Amino acid sequence: MVNNDFIKLRNISKKFDDVIAVDSLDLDISEGEFFSLLGPSGCGKTTLLRILAGFEYPTTGSVFIDNSDVTNQTPNLRPSNMVFQNYAIFPHINVQRNIEFGLRKEKLSREELNLRVKESLKMVQLEGYEERFSNQLSGGQRQRVALARALVKRPKVLLLDEPLGALDKKLREEMQIELRNLQKELGITFIFVTHDQEEAMTMSDRVAVMNEGKILQISPPKELYNKPVNKFVSEFIGNINLLETSIIDENDKNLTLDILNIGKQDFNKNIFNSKLSENIFVALRPEDISIKKEKIETADINIKGIVKNVSFYGESTYFYVKVEGINKLLMVSNFVDQVSINENDECSLGINLENIKLVS
Amino acid sequence: MISALQKIYVKNDQLKAYTLLSPALILIIIAMAAPMLVMIITSFNTQISMVEIDRTFTFDRYEDFFSKPIFSMLLFRSLKISFLVTVLTLLTTYPLAYYIAFYVKKNKMLWIILMTLPFWTSYLLRVFSWKVILGNKGVINSALVGSGLIDEPLGFLLYNQGAVVLTLAHAWAAFAILPLYVSLDKIDKSLLEASYDLGNSKFETFIRVTLPLSLPGIIGAILIIFIPTVGDYVTPQMVGGTDGRMLSNMIQSLFGRANNFPLGAASAVLMLSSVCIIAGIVTYITKKLTLRMS
């Protein structure tokens, strides 16, 4: 049975002098989950992770790991281990000793130690590097050592603080898949802090989007993308077109909105994920708008525009389209370059009502 | 011709390096290496009268040194005093350097400058001030007698080896703080957190991470203090009394009143070589020891 509140944060706040880094926050993380904390820099995600590790003590609130209150426990006594952003490999000892570093308390024999180190090095595909020192390793290898050093302790929770940030793109993508596989294999709860939404999306079971010390949304990646609860989340995850709109009429079930300056449209209130404030935006993912040279008959809404820019990304092409009455250029994407539309061509944009999201 | 030389010069990095080094190099050769060589040569000679030295090669001065127990005793005392000075200085300055490196957040440089402030006064004055503090009519004794705690001033404060160790430790503290601070300040804080996270207490983290990583600073401080204090003769002369006399005072008198240049030179050579050997051994052992600790 999966323990849904394996990690439990209750009313956690952290103030640094006058700055509120984490603002009365509740969070439950299940056992064996790959959980990401995603947000721009300064949003409090790293502070939250450090509270979990025990490097910072919350100003208010409690932290529970596996049903025990660890709020006031020092890091050395907590059942969590951390992979640091800069890896923090001890430079004065070799890889073998680095990995053994946390095992001294377990009073293992030399053979057992060697076995454990070997196992963990195998786990991160770094066998044969026992004798190396930190300065003889590449960034990716250091990262693996840091991972092995934390995992060899068999923690209940592994905390990862932007561990892939310093790697180049190719290596980062490889490591993302490896990390994900490793987590599935071991079944350890991973809490991963990142500002890279792609990274969070590809690896996680669930992602928490944070801003200004608060969690705005906790969802599986797909839901995060398809049902953002507000404007911030919708903009932070992937590309999106946000168009101002205004409420014309409202009743119990429906909202009538003036959409795209084109016309009135009724919306069922159920499609909203959150309470709506006065400023409502129509949110459209680039792939939710279709583009053609001639009118798109199948679409609910047709708009005319002029293509200003075309960016080719290999698997998809992005068109930036100027539409009368809309300030920003609309971002429209198309998988495979099916349509031969060039810059400054006139085009037709088609939107289906079911693809429209509303955020505020 | 000149342009050809220029070409050679531009291409030759070694030549450029030596050019940059040459002022210092010339100074060291004239003021350090040459006198040292003269001293070594003299140590193999014989003094025959007030002004005359017999230049025939002989090991007799070294035999003189070891046949009279006073010399070995003074050499041993010099090394012992320097060793105690080094230990005392490290014990007092390491916590300070540690505090500045890890707990002072703003104005670290100001702290360092404040720490070295007493050392802007002359070395002689600083040594002399200890005489004022420790003497029979000094600050400590006057206070104790004045308050009625004791009737007679404490005589053991001044004019002994303890006074020499204390004075030298204070005099060299500033030189120890800088290398210690630099090596401690360089330590990446996340390494300490990593150790903490991996189950070590703060004390274990200090022993297993901080101490070995500050080792370059410790060795630097040891060498900076130990090497010059072995040869110090001003401090023992002023605060040491007969009990605090060191080999350097003996060497001074051999080159002065006793007028035996060759024996003085031999003593100096022996002191120099024992310092070199000890410094080498200390460096080696400290390195081995701290590696094992982690």
Side-chain angles (χ1 to χ4, degrees), chain B residues 238-255:
Chain B
M238 289 180 75
V239 300
T242 35
D243 176 52
R245 250 174 88 86
M246 287 162 71
L247 184 59
S248 44
N249 303 99
M250 176 66 106
I251 294 171
Q252 186 201 6
S253 66
L254 285 170
F255 277 101

Side-chain angles (χ1 to χ4, degrees), chain A residues 50 55 74-76 80-82 84 86 88-93 97 101-102 104-105 149 153, chain B residues 188 190-202 204 208-209 212-213 291-294:
Chain A
R50 289 173 62 81
F55 296 130
T74 48
N76 52 335
S80 59
N81 284 111
M82 182 132 156
F84 289 81
N86 62 355
I89 308 296
F90 302 117
H92 60 296
I93 44 179
R97 296 256 198 123
F101 201 87
R104 208 158 77 151
K105 289 276 154 61
R149 188 178 65 180
K153 294 259 299 170
Chain B
D188 182 354
S190 62
L191 292 176
L192 309 184
E193 285 187 344
S195 162
Y196 206 20
D197 185 64
L198 288 166
N200 296 282
S201 69
K202 290 228 157 137
E204 287 166 326
R208 300 183 76 189
V209 182
L213 286 178
L291 269 183
R292 187 165 311 153
M293 270 194 287
S294 58

Side-chain angles (χ1 to χ4, degrees), chain A residues 48-59:
Chain A
L48 194 60
L49 196 76
R50 289 173 62 81
I51 287 173
L52 277 164
F55 296 130
E56 307 282 356
Y57 295 104
T59 317

Side-chain angles (χ1 to χ4, degrees), chain A residues 149-195:
Chain A
R149 188 178 65 180
L151 287 173
V152 81
K153 294 259 299 170
R154 296 174 182 158
K156 288 181 180 170
V157 187
L158 187 73
L159 308 168
L160 302 109
D161 184 12
E162 307 212 18
L164 307 180
L167 306 179
D168 62 69
K169 192 169 184 291
K170 193 100 181 164
L171 195 57
R172 202 161 61 218
E173 281 164 4
E174 275 173 35
M175 280 308 292
Q176 282 171 15
I177 295 166
E178 258 180 61
L179 266 180
R180 179 62 182 162
N181 291 341
L182 199 61
Q183 190 268 339
K184 274 186 187 160
E185 214 175 282
L186 299 171
I188 295 174
T189 311
F190 275 35
I191 302 181
F192 188 94
V193 158
T194 180
H195 63 266

Side-chain angles (χ1 to χ4, degrees), chain B residues 50-159:
Chain B
M50 284 291 275
V51 283
E52 267 179 292
I53 290 174
D54 176 9
R55 292 288 175 193
T56 38
F57 184 88
T58 170
F59 279 111
D60 289 354
R61 298 298 82 69
Y62 290 90
E63 271 184 52
D64 290 348
F65 185 95
F66 288 109
S67 61
K68 291 175 193 158
I70 177 88
F71 285 97
S72 310
M73 192 269 278
L74 284 177
L75 175 62
F76 178 73
R77 184 189 287 168
S78 291
L79 296 173
K80 185 184 82 181
I81 286 177
S82 284
F83 171 76
L84 291 173
V85 169
T86 311
V87 171
L88 185 64
T89 316
L90 277 181
L91 287 179
T92 49
T93 52
Y94 196 95
L96 272 175
Y98 186 90
Y99 180 80
I100 301 173
F102 291 114
Y103 291 99
V104 175
K105 299 276 178 259
K106 282 183 272 184
N107 300 328
K108 284 190 181 189
M109 215 52 227
L110 186 72
W111 276 76
I112 297 286
I113 291 169
L114 283 176
M115 219 61 94
T116 55
L117 203 61
F119 304 92
W120 294 10
T121 48
S122 111
Y123 178 69
L124 218 56
L125 277 179
R126 265 179 291 137
V127 176
F128 195 78
S129 64
W130 277 104
K131 229 171 154 160
V132 175
I133 295 169
L134 300 173
N136 275 351
K137 288 179 181 171
V139 178
I140 294 176
N141 275 322
S142 317
L144 288 175
V145 172
S147 64
L149 282 171
I150 50 168
D151 301 325
E152 293 281 307
L154 301 173
F156 61 82
L157 291 180
L158 198 58
Y159 301 126

Side-chain angles (χ1 to χ4, degrees), chain A residues 143-260:
Chain A
Q143 217 256 299
R144 285 161 198 263
V145 173
L147 202 59
R149 188 178 65 180
L151 287 173
V152 81
K153 294 259 299 170
R154 296 174 182 158
K156 288 181 180 170
V157 187
L158 187 73
L159 308 168
L160 302 109
D161 184 12
E162 307 212 18
L164 307 180
L167 306 179
D168 62 69
K169 192 169 184 291
K170 193 100 181 164
L171 195 57
R172 202 161 61 218
E173 281 164 4
E174 275 173 35
M175 280 308 292
Q176 282 171 15
I177 295 166
E178 258 180 61
L179 266 180
R180 179 62 182 162
N181 291 341
L182 199 61
Q183 190 268 339
K184 274 186 187 160
E185 214 175 282
L186 299 171
I188 295 174
T189 311
F190 275 35
I191 302 181
F192 188 94
V193 158
T194 180
H195 63 266
D196 184 336
Q197 45 111 355
E198 230 172 275
E199 212 167 88
M201 301 287 270
T202 48
M203 290 190 285
S204 319
D205 292 314
R206 284 193 304 157
V207 179
V209 180
M210 288 185 73
N211 193 33
E212 292 176 344
K214 287 190 191 299
I215 292 181
L216 304 176
Q217 182 170 6
I218 305 175
S219 301
K222 254 188 202 168
E223 198 182 314
L224 208 58
Y225 187 78
N226 291 324
K227 290 182 180 173
V229 294
N230 62 20
K231 184 168 168 259
F232 180 86
V233 176
S234 72
E235 278 184 308
F236 199 76
I237 309 291
N239 293 319
I240 203 150
N241 299 293
L242 288 175
L243 309 167
E244 279 178 47
T245 182
S246 52
I247 301 171
I248 294 174
D249 195 21
E250 182 175 1
N251 61 31
D252 287 349
K253 274 187 181 173
N254 290 313
L255 273 180
T256 308
L257 297 177
D258 177 17
I259 178 168
L260 304 178

